[in-house]
Every structure is written in C-alpha cells, then in structure tokens.
Amino acid sequence: MKKQIIVAFAVSALVVSCTQSTTKTEKIENPDGTVTTTTTESRTGFVDTAKIDKAKSDVKITVSKTGEKINEAGKDIKSEASEVGKDIKTGAQEVSKDIKNTAAQGAQKVEDAAKKLKEDLKK
C-alpha cells in the first residue's frame, strides 16, 4: 500500500511539473515611435516544450554574444600585434642606422691608424 501511495505521489508530481506552456510575445509600435511588448502564456498538455525552446534560445543568444566578444578580442589582438610589429620594424631600422654609423666610425679610425702607421714606417 505504501509503495502505491509513493508511486501515485511521484506520478502526480511528474504530471504537475511537466505541463506544457505556450508563450506568445507581440511587439507593437506605437504612433509616437515607442515599442510595446505584450506576453501571453497558456498552459496545456503534458510536456513543456516552451521551456525547452526558451532554454535553446537562451543558449543560442549566449553563444552568439560570446562569439561576438571573441571576434572583438581577436580584432583588438590583431591591431595590437600590428602596432607591435610597426614598433619592432622602427626599432630595427634605428638599430641598423646606429650599426652603420658605428661601423663607419670604426672604419674611419682604422684608416686613420693605417695612415699614421704608414707615415711612421716612412720615417
């Protein structure tokens, strides 16, 4: 007898929790340009597909927003990487100029020392 009562209670709880609801949302544009949203809900049937559809919709919206955030982050990373690349290129050009100037000065010193050595050898 106890098992039958427990089973009956479980079945009734399942039936009550699994009612189907239908939600209709209507957007009406007023003459002044504002939008009025009205939602109507009715409950019938055994399985609540409206809740399942709403959950699916919420997941799709969340995934879409996450994808947009990832795209924005990707754009930010791309622009930052481009800026870093420009900075590296500018720095490399400056270093190249410094190396060329230093090499030219070193070559000039070597030439001066060679001339001085040549003059000393002539004496």
Side-chain angles (χ1 to χ4, degrees), residues 1-9:
M1 184 69 176
K2 290 181 184 180
K3 289 181 182 179
Q4 291 174 347
I5 294 173
I6 293 172
V7 169
F9 179 73

mmCIF file of all heavy atoms in Angstrom, residues 1-9:
data_model
loop_
_atom_site.group_PDB
_atom_site.id
_atom_site.type_symbol
_atom_site.label_atom_id
_atom_site.label_comp_id
_atom_site.label_asym_id
_atom_site.label_seq_id
_atom_site.Cartn_x
_atom_site.Cartn_y
_atom_site.Cartn_z
ATOM 1 N N MET A 1 0.810 -1.189 0.000
ATOM 2 C CA MET A 1 0.000 0.000 0.000
ATOM 3 C C MET A 1 0.860 1.263 0.000
ATOM 4 O O MET A 1 0.549 2.217 -0.709
ATOM 5 C CB MET A 1 -0.925 -0.051 1.217
ATOM 6 C CG MET A 1 -1.889 1.075 1.307
ATOM 7 S SD MET A 1 -3.088 0.903 -0.019
ATOM 8 C CE MET A 1 -4.156 2.198 0.344
ATOM 9 N N LYS A 2 1.951 1.252 0.806
ATOM 10 C CA LYS A 2 2.830 2.412 0.868
ATOM 11 C C LYS A 2 3.481 2.667 -0.483
ATOM 12 O O LYS A 2 3.636 3.820 -0.889
ATOM 13 C CB LYS A 2 3.900 2.208 1.946
ATOM 14 C CG LYS A 2 3.388 2.249 3.347
ATOM 15 C CD LYS A 2 4.528 2.059 4.325
ATOM 16 C CE LYS A 2 4.011 1.993 5.743
ATOM 17 N NZ LYS A 2 5.078 1.810 6.712
ATOM 18 N N LYS A 3 3.872 1.593 -1.174
ATOM 19 C CA LYS A 3 4.501 1.732 -2.486
ATOM 20 C C LYS A 3 3.537 2.374 -3.473
ATOM 21 O O LYS A 3 3.921 3.223 -4.272
ATOM 22 C CB LYS A 3 4.977 0.385 -3.015
ATOM 23 C CG LYS A 3 6.158 -0.178 -2.295
ATOM 24 C CD LYS A 3 6.578 -1.497 -2.909
ATOM 25 C CE LYS A 3 7.736 -2.100 -2.145
ATOM 26 N NZ LYS A 3 8.154 -3.384 -2.714
ATOM 27 N N GLN A 4 2.265 1.995 -3.416
ATOM 28 C CA GLN A 4 1.277 2.546 -4.336
ATOM 29 C C GLN A 4 1.054 4.036 -4.081
ATOM 30 O O GLN A 4 0.900 4.825 -5.009
ATOM 31 C CB GLN A 4 -0.047 1.786 -4.206
ATOM 32 C CG GLN A 4 0.028 0.370 -4.722
ATOM 33 C CD GLN A 4 -1.241 -0.408 -4.455
ATOM 34 O OE1 GLN A 4 -2.090 0.022 -3.677
ATOM 35 N NE2 GLN A 4 -1.357 -1.565 -5.083
ATOM 36 N N ILE A 5 1.068 4.422 -2.826
ATOM 37 C CA ILE A 5 0.904 5.840 -2.479
ATOM 38 C C ILE A 5 2.103 6.640 -2.966
ATOM 39 O O ILE A 5 1.960 7.719 -3.538
ATOM 40 C CB ILE A 5 0.693 6.010 -0.953
ATOM 41 C CG1 ILE A 5 -0.633 5.380 -0.540
ATOM 42 C CG2 ILE A 5 0.748 7.479 -0.564
ATOM 43 C CD1 ILE A 5 -0.864 5.330 0.948
ATOM 44 N N ILE A 6 3.289 6.095 -2.756
ATOM 45 C CA ILE A 6 4.509 6.779 -3.205
ATOM 46 C C ILE A 6 4.529 6.889 -4.722
ATOM 47 O O ILE A 6 4.859 7.944 -5.276
ATOM 48 C CB ILE A 6 5.767 6.056 -2.672
ATOM 49 C CG1 ILE A 6 5.841 6.201 -1.143
ATOM 50 C CG2 ILE A 6 7.018 6.617 -3.323
ATOM 51 C CD1 ILE A 6 6.930 5.387 -0.490
ATOM 52 N N VAL A 7 4.178 5.842 -5.429
ATOM 53 C CA VAL A 7 4.136 5.867 -6.891
ATOM 54 C C VAL A 7 3.101 6.868 -7.370
ATOM 55 O O VAL A 7 3.335 7.642 -8.306
ATOM 56 C CB VAL A 7 3.868 4.451 -7.452
ATOM 57 C CG1 VAL A 7 3.566 4.495 -8.940
ATOM 58 C CG2 VAL A 7 5.042 3.532 -7.177
ATOM 59 N N ALA A 8 1.932 6.889 -6.744
ATOM 60 C CA ALA A 8 0.877 7.836 -7.128
ATOM 61 C C ALA A 8 1.338 9.272 -6.907
ATOM 62 O O ALA A 8 1.098 10.154 -7.743
ATOM 63 C CB ALA A 8 -0.400 7.550 -6.343
ATOM 64 N N PHE A 9 2.015 9.504 -5.795
ATOM 65 C CA PHE A 9 2.530 10.844 -5.500
ATOM 66 C C PHE A 9 3.576 11.247 -6.538
ATOM 67 O O PHE A 9 3.576 12.378 -7.028
ATOM 68 C CB PHE A 9 3.120 10.876 -4.082
ATOM 69 C CG PHE A 9 3.686 12.212 -3.727
ATOM 70 C CD1 PHE A 9 2.844 13.286 -3.455
ATOM 71 C CD2 PHE A 9 5.061 12.399 -3.662
ATOM 72 C CE1 PHE A 9 3.367 14.522 -3.124
ATOM 73 C CE2 PHE A 9 5.588 13.638 -3.341
ATOM 74 C CZ PHE A 9 4.747 14.702 -3.063
#
